[in-house]
Amino acid sequence: MNRREWLKCMSALALSAAGAPLLAVFDAHAAAQKPAIGPRFFSPPQADVVAAVVDIIIPRTDTPGALDAGVPRFIEQMFRDVYSKAEQARYLGALAAFERAGGTPFLQLDAAQRKALVTRLHGEALASGRHIDHNSAAAFVLMSKKLAMLGYFMSEPGCTQVLQYVAVPGGYQADVPLSKAGNGRAWAVETVLRL
């Protein structure tokens, strides 16, 4: 083996080692776009609650919402294949606390009550900061929001229809008016962050 071949091999090895964690996440999302194979992580009622919450967090507007992008399947795939047993148990405990938070099972509330509950718990989670009880209903909303945003903005609709997507980027353009910057869609992320 000569020096050039050795450098090629070492470069490929370094790139594959650096990119492996990212590929695992992308593979998890790609697998989430397909029907689930194997045991499910959530029970059907739990999956319905997660889907209802992420639909409140990223609803369908003039762009696809979280349900259109397959975010509930992405969240299930992440918990089933990526998160540790302790993290899985913590999320399920927080999900159970969330179900009790409204006094009535979440899916039995009307749409306005659901949104009000999620908004209130989101505010509580942000107010508590680092001192949040990880088994609380507020922690469930915050973790669901983080996963919903991750799954949504890694999905094809999130990347291409909400964020500024340029398949082949062109030259740098300074001082672009905000009204022309991505048709205003680049700023749609702000509304998701506010919930």
Side-chain angles (χ1 to χ4, degrees):
M1 179 182 287
N2 63 28
R3 181 176 179 268
R4 184 171 299 196
E5 290 177 38
W6 183 83
L7 284 173
K8 277 193 216 176
C9 291
M10 288 299 114
S11 298
L13 181 64
L15 288 174
S16 65
L22 277 176
L23 289 176
V25 172
F26 287 125
D27 286 344
H29 182 66
Q33 296 299 323
K34 299 174 187 168
I37 299 172
R40 293 180 54 113
F41 176 73
F42 296 120
S43 68
Q46 290 171 331
D48 292 341
V49 169
V50 170
V53 170
V54 299
D55 190 39
I56 291 170
I57 294 170
I58 306 176
R60 179 186 299 156
T61 56
D62 60 333
T63 59
L67 298 180
D68 301 316
V71 170
R73 291 188 307 264
F74 172 78
I75 292 174
E76 176 147 9
Q77 184 80 23
M78 290 294 287
F79 275 106
R80 191 178 68 204
D81 297 337
V82 177
Y83 283 98
S84 69
K85 296 289 184 197
E87 291 166 327
Q88 292 173 353
R90 185 169 50 223
Y91 188 77
L92 290 177
L95 173 60
F98 175 77
E99 276 281 62
R100 294 187 301 272
T104 303
F106 183 71
L107 296 176
Q108 293 178 6
L109 300 173
D110 65 33
Q113 292 171 322
R114 289 180 187 182
K115 185 172 182 177
L117 178 63
V118 170
T119 303
R120 178 177 61 83
L121 291 172
H122 180 260
E124 288 176 16
L126 294 180
S128 63
R130 293 182 180 251
H131 305 291
I132 191 168
D133 175 12
H134 293 293
N135 290 318
S136 68
F140 168 76
V141 171
L142 194 59
M143 182 61 139
S144 297
K145 177 183 175 182
K146 289 177 182 178
L147 287 167
M149 290 177 61
L150 176 66
Y152 185 72
F153 291 113
M154 284 178 48
S155 71
E156 184 178 345
C159 287
T160 60
Q161 296 180 37
V162 177
L163 298 177
Q164 289 186 8
Y165 175 74
V166 180
V168 179
Y172 174 72
Q173 297 175 357
D175 290 334
V176 176
L178 185 58
S179 62
K180 294 184 180 180
N183 297 326
R185 294 191 189 272
W187 309 105
V189 175
E190 179 181 301
T191 58
V192 172
L193 294 176
R194 281 186 279 141
L195 184 74

